[in-house]
Amino acid sequence: MDKLLIEGGTPLSGEVAISGAKNAALPLLCAALLTREPLTLTNLPALNDIDTMLNLLAQMGVRVERETSKVGAGGTASADTPGKSGTATLDASGLDNPVAPYELVKTMRAAVLVLGPLVARCGEARVSLPGGCAIGARPVDQHIKGLTAMGAEVTVEHGYVHAKATGLKGRLKGARLFTDMVTVTGTENLMMAACLADGETVIENAAREPEVVDLANCLVAMGAQISGAGTDVIRIRGVDRLHGATHRIMPDRIETGTYLCAAAATGGQIRLTHTSASYLDAVIDKLMDAGCAIAIEHNALTLKAPLRPTAVSIRTSPYPAFPTDMQAQFMALNTVAEGTAVIRETIFENRFMHAVELIRLGADIKIDGNTAFVTGVPKLDGATVMATDLRASASLVIAGLVARGETLIERIYHLDRGYENLEQKLVALGAKVRRVK
Ligand code: UD1
């Protein structure tokens, strides 16, 4: 299993291009299931989660053509950035097996995103329950509740959700839906299902995440009638069919935030291109509170770190508040900041696993339920640590970049799920990082 060896202590400096957003790409790939015509997605990041989703779609009968451009991640042509971002064209005209097996769903919870589109297009679907994952139980009851309200008969047997539309000609029926909590993939699943339902669907308490808006934009380009995406009430008027389209995937706001945090923690100065500050208000605000100077351009961001950051307290909440997917990276930043930060995690019940690993590097962290108290120390010391989930791994990378001496991060397959060309990008920023087989 690959490991990442980091020799810390170098402030990050230079410029890298940000890749397309993983969390936008995954639902967008599933949107291809809604039409018999080809859907082309550009700025598709080269990530293990994307490969998993493409394999899942292929085994359902979707034809996938993938072009990996020779340009760097995010589009900068450079021999130093061998990014494999590219274009995929998905043709679901031959969709004949609306089943998502356990072997694929267990490795990636977002596979549940096929459920809504499959029931809408085929009238039924069998999708494995995702099961538990490292950051909590993460049930899919809201996805099921919504589809049931749209007239699907849903049974859960042998670990599989079996949903069957009972409307005329096997169609779902438009309905008024209210989710008990804000759920991102739940909103996306139900929005996709509603596109081909009979009549109007209203999703209340909808997620407002930019990735939901990116998906809605693509669905509208495919002929869907959607209004309100980006607010907490989304209205979808069902149509008989959707057609093909070409859509460029939005930049990855969490990858952007992760590099900003890494530069802030190491006392560096970096410029990130092919990205946008517009989805990052909460994160940029906290980085400025930490003492960073940030300059915003149309498609780029520059951060200049202070000599030592000031501790910043955060509380995670659905968008537009501070994202749970940036909590771990800010914990790493706070480990070397001046003062004490209070970090409250309100989305997931078990998302502090990086804390024990950061403590192994010398961090001063106390956990009490969903709250972590982080008191900054002047220096961390390199050690061997273990990555436990995607964003936890990112926090260990940041800590490793700051720590004195060598840090060896084990189980970095989590990073390969969500960060395109991580080592190459860090090396381009002057970091001493290498992958050890
Ligand atoms: C998505 C993101 C993930 C991010 C998370 C929260 C993707 C592919 N993943 O995950 O990176 O961390 O949003 O911003 O976009 N819940 C239920 N029942 C449900 C659905 C959700 O109880 O049916 C709970 C979850 O356990 C969690 C909370 O609701 O506590 C929010 O989860 P949700 O927004 O659904 O997360 P994901 O969509 O899985």
Side-chain angles (χ1 to χ4, degrees), residues 34-167:
L34 290 164
T35 173
R36 304 186 131 267
E37 295 180 20
L39 174 67
T40 299
L41 297 171
T42 65
N43 201 30
L44 182 71
L47 299 169
N48 285 354
D49 273 8
I50 300 298
D51 294 342
T52 304
M53 186 62 91
L54 288 171
N55 287 340
L56 176 61
L57 296 173
Q59 67 86 40
M60 291 177 186
V62 178
R63 249 196 16 240
V64 179
E65 265 175 47
R66 209 166 165 186
E67 256 174 65
T68 49
S69 47
K70 289 209 179 62
V71 295
T76 317
S78 156
D80 299 325
T81 51
K84 288 175 247 112
S85 274
T87 297
T89 298
L90 294 95
D91 174 349
S93 56
L95 173 65
D96 58 2
N97 182 30
V99 176
Y102 177 67
E103 291 64 43
L104 288 167
V105 180
K106 75 171 183 205
T107 62
M108 186 187 62
R109 191 192 135 78
V112 75
L113 281 162
V114 298
L115 181 62
L118 284 178
V119 188
R121 166 93 185 278
C122 307
E124 75 177 306
R126 264 169 59 78
V127 175
S128 169
L129 281 170
C133 76
I135 61 173
R138 302 180 86 178
V140 291
D141 54 311
Q142 301 303 310
H143 305 234
I144 294 176
K145 179 177 140 185
L147 287 174
T148 307
M150 293 170 81
E153 262 172 16
V154 184
T155 50
V156 180
E157 269 174 4
H158 308 297
Y160 277 75
V161 179
H162 183 200
K164 197 167 186 319
T166 55

Side-chain angles (χ1 to χ4, degrees), residues 3-26:
K3 300 172 186 189
L4 204 64
L5 185 66
I6 305 179
E7 199 189 315
T10 313
L12 294 191
S13 154
E15 179 172 307
V16 289
I18 294 300
S19 303
K22 169 181 85 73
N23 285 355
L26 292 170

Side-chain angles (χ1 to χ4, degrees), residues 178-194:
F178 185 87
T179 54
D180 296 353
M181 77 289 292
V182 175
T183 155
V184 179
T185 50
T187 301
E188 291 164 343
N189 231 338
L190 298 172
M191 183 166 75
M192 287 191 278

Side-chain angles (χ1 to χ4, degrees), residues 113-311:
L113 281 162
V114 298
L115 181 62
L118 284 178
V119 188
R121 166 93 185 278
C122 307
E124 75 177 306
R126 264 169 59 78
V127 175
S128 169
L129 281 170
C133 76
I135 61 173
R138 302 180 86 178
V140 291
D141 54 311
Q142 301 303 310
H143 305 234
I144 294 176
K145 179 177 140 185
L147 287 174
T148 307
M150 293 170 81
E153 262 172 16
V154 184
T155 50
V156 180
E157 269 174 4
H158 308 297
Y160 277 75
V161 179
H162 183 200
K164 197 167 186 319
T166 55
L168 215 58
K169 294 190 198 150
R171 267 181 98 177
L172 290 168
K173 289 179 283 211
R176 206 171 182 87
L177 310 177
F178 185 87
T179 54
D180 296 353
M181 77 289 292
V182 175
T183 155
V184 179
T185 50
T187 301
E188 291 164 343
N189 231 338
L190 298 172
M191 183 166 75
M192 287 191 278
C195 287
L196 294 180
D198 191 11
E200 188 185 59
T201 299
V202 181
I203 308 175
E204 298 202 32
N205 201 25
R208 292 180 282 168
E209 266 67 4
E211 293 77 11
V212 174
V213 179
D214 204 33
L215 174 64
N217 289 342
C218 177
L219 292 168
V220 167
M222 294 165 72
Q225 293 186 12
I226 302 174
S227 63
T231 76
D232 58 2
V233 181
I234 304 179
R235 285 172 197 280
I236 306 111
R237 179 156 290 285
V239 294
D240 286 343
R241 63 185 60 80
L242 295 181
H243 51 72
T246 296
H247 178 83
R248 182 175 170 85
I249 298 166
M250 64 177 280
D252 197 313
R253 64 191 169 103
I254 305 301
E255 189 198 17
T256 307
T258 301
Y259 284 105
L260 291 178
C261 258
T266 57
Q269 174 161 2
I270 61 167
R271 182 165 182 269
L272 304 175
T273 64
H274 299 78
T275 187
S276 167
S278 25
Y279 333 104
L280 276 164
D281 286 349
V283 168
I284 288 175
D285 198 50
K286 290 293 173 187
L287 286 168
M288 284 168 44
D289 286 352
C292 300
I294 295 184
I296 297 171
E297 298 160 62
H298 175 50
N299 278 328
L301 273 170
T302 301
L303 178 142
K304 186 173 188 311
L307 273 180
R308 187 177 179 193
T310 307

